[in-house]
Amino acid sequence: MDKFSKELHPKIGYYVYLLIDPRDNSIFYVGKGQGDRIFAHAKGALKENESSSLSPKNDLIKEIINEGKEVDYRMVRWGLENEEKAFEIESILIDLLTNESLKKTGGIKNKIDGKHSQNYGIRTPKEIEALLTRGNLDTSNLKDKLVAITLNISLEGPSLYERIRGTWVMNKKRAEKADYVLAVYDGVIIGVFKPEKWEKVEDLSPEVKRSKRLRFTGKEVEEKKILDRYLHKMLPRKSKGNANPIKYLY
């Protein structure tokens, strides 16, 4: 993703964002802006022909891109009413992240999220666009049994069907109850599939084979009624520490 839909610019308003190195998940830049400002750094870095001591940010961006990866983005606060508020939050974050005496935390012990984080908290640009265009998936009133599988890989490469169908550590009896499989990327449903058969994966290395891994055979859903129900909607965020890519919604 390298831009927002223009009709969303007024809804997003002013925002404060982070640029993140995907190789070690480290924050290397804090900024504020409107519209597509968050994406401008990567585009600007590619226009520079030579390294510059005046622009270590751009040099790092080019290094990331030259390794075949993409800069990761997070919007810390969005929907801000004015630029002054964005400046204030940007300044606080820069002070916090550059303070030498606070380079490491002991694990934050707050029991609840910060004020307004549920509505305007840290999200990827893709999550925000999905939220503003299609909204959240209402998991309290589902018409179907769903398995949501999160893909943490580039959208380039094999077809979405080949990537989403397996191999996954799953319970076969539980998986077979699912009406649909949702492919999720960046918290957003990017594909809906109808599983016809779940089977144990046999062509695995001895190390991987120890775990019960499944893949399904099926087809991508094309029925408009089903796609309108699920496609491009945003899933509820996972609880902290939950790295399991499989989520059963039944």
Side-chain angles (χ1 to χ4, degrees), residues 100-188:
E100 290 298 328
S101 66
L102 299 174
K103 287 296 185 183
K104 184 178 180 180
T105 69
I108 302 299
K109 303 300 189 293
N110 299 67
K111 291 185 177 181
I112 60 174
D113 293 332
K115 188 176 181 179
H116 302 310
S117 64
Q118 187 65 32
N119 295 322
Y120 299 103
I122 298 176
R123 298 187 188 279
T124 66
K126 188 179 291 292
E127 286 179 319
I128 290 175
E129 183 155 58
L131 180 64
L132 292 176
T133 55
R134 298 299 302 275
N136 286 307
L137 178 64
D138 183 4
T139 56
S140 66
N141 189 32
L142 293 173
K143 298 179 181 296
D144 308 293
K145 292 182 173 64
L146 309 170
V147 172
I149 302 179
T150 297
L151 299 172
N152 290 321
I153 57 177
S154 169
L155 292 179
E156 298 178 357
S159 70
L160 184 58
Y161 170 67
E162 289 301 328
R163 280 177 288 149
I164 198 63
R165 62 188 295 251
T167 61
W168 307 108
V169 178
M170 299 176 69
N171 180 285
K172 191 169 186 289
K173 288 185 177 180
R174 192 175 185 185
E176 287 175 337
K177 295 178 181 179
D179 297 310
Y180 300 104
V181 174
L182 307 178
V184 181
Y185 182 77
D186 247 1
V188 179

Side-chain angles (χ1 to χ4, degrees), residues 5-228:
S5 302
K6 287 197 178 297
E7 61 269 21
L8 295 185
H9 288 186
K11 296 181 181 180
I12 296 170
Y14 286 95
Y15 56 83
V16 179
Y17 61 91
L18 308 174
L19 301 186
I20 300 170
D21 187 335
R23 298 170 298 180
D24 60 6
N25 208 35
S26 62
I27 299 167
F28 66 88
Y29 187 81
V30 180
K32 58 92 185 157
Q34 290 178 289
D36 294 328
R37 174 58 182 165
I38 188 172
F39 307 109
H41 300 277
K43 294 177 181 178
L46 290 175
K47 293 179 182 178
E48 287 190 357
N49 295 322
E50 299 180 0
S51 177
S52 170
S53 60
L54 298 177
S55 184
K57 167 177 63 73
N58 284 1
D59 287 345
L60 180 55
I61 290 173
K62 285 189 283 188
E63 185 181 306
I64 292 169
I65 293 173
N66 288 338
E67 289 189 19
K69 301 182 183 299
E70 297 180 351
V71 175
D72 199 2
Y73 305 104
R74 291 293 185 278
M75 294 171 73
V76 181
R77 279 294 184 273
W78 53 284
L80 300 172
E81 61 271 23
N82 54 53
E83 189 175 25
E84 183 179 349
K85 191 67 176 177
F87 263 128
E88 181 182 355
I89 296 173
E90 178 193 41
S91 177
I92 292 170
L93 284 174
I94 293 173
D95 285 348
L96 177 63
L97 294 171
T98 58
N99 189 302
E100 290 298 328
S101 66
L102 299 174
K103 287 296 185 183
K104 184 178 180 180
T105 69
I108 302 299
K109 303 300 189 293
N110 299 67
K111 291 185 177 181
I112 60 174
D113 293 332
K115 188 176 181 179
H116 302 310
S117 64
Q118 187 65 32
N119 295 322
Y120 299 103
I122 298 176
R123 298 187 188 279
T124 66
K126 188 179 291 292
E127 286 179 319
I128 290 175
E129 183 155 58
L131 180 64
L132 292 176
T133 55
R134 298 299 302 275
N136 286 307
L137 178 64
D138 183 4
T139 56
S140 66
N141 189 32
L142 293 173
K143 298 179 181 296
D144 308 293
K145 292 182 173 64
L146 309 170
V147 172
I149 302 179
T150 297
L151 299 172
N152 290 321
I153 57 177
S154 169
L155 292 179
E156 298 178 357
S159 70
L160 184 58
Y161 170 67
E162 289 301 328
R163 280 177 288 149
I164 198 63
R165 62 188 295 251
T167 61
W168 307 108
V169 178
M170 299 176 69
N171 180 285
K172 191 169 186 289
K173 288 185 177 180
R174 192 175 185 185
E176 287 175 337
K177 295 178 181 179
D179 297 310
Y180 300 104
V181 174
L182 307 178
V184 181
Y185 182 77
D186 247 1
V188 179
I189 299 167
I190 60 171
V192 184
F193 298 84
K194 179 70 175 176
E196 297 171 348
K197 180 181 179 182
W198 290 90
E199 55 189 356
K200 189 176 178 181
V201 181
E202 300 290 350
D203 52 337
L204 296 172
S205 65
E207 295 78 19
V208 178
K209 212 167 186 177
R210 294 175 191 151
S211 58
K212 296 179 181 179
R213 291 182 177 264
L214 303 179
R215 73 159 58 106
F216 71 87
T217 302
K219 58 186 178 181
E220 189 163 7
V221 173
E222 297 181 354
E223 187 179 350
K224 185 177 184 302
K225 180 177 70 174
I226 302 301
L227 294 181
D228 287 345

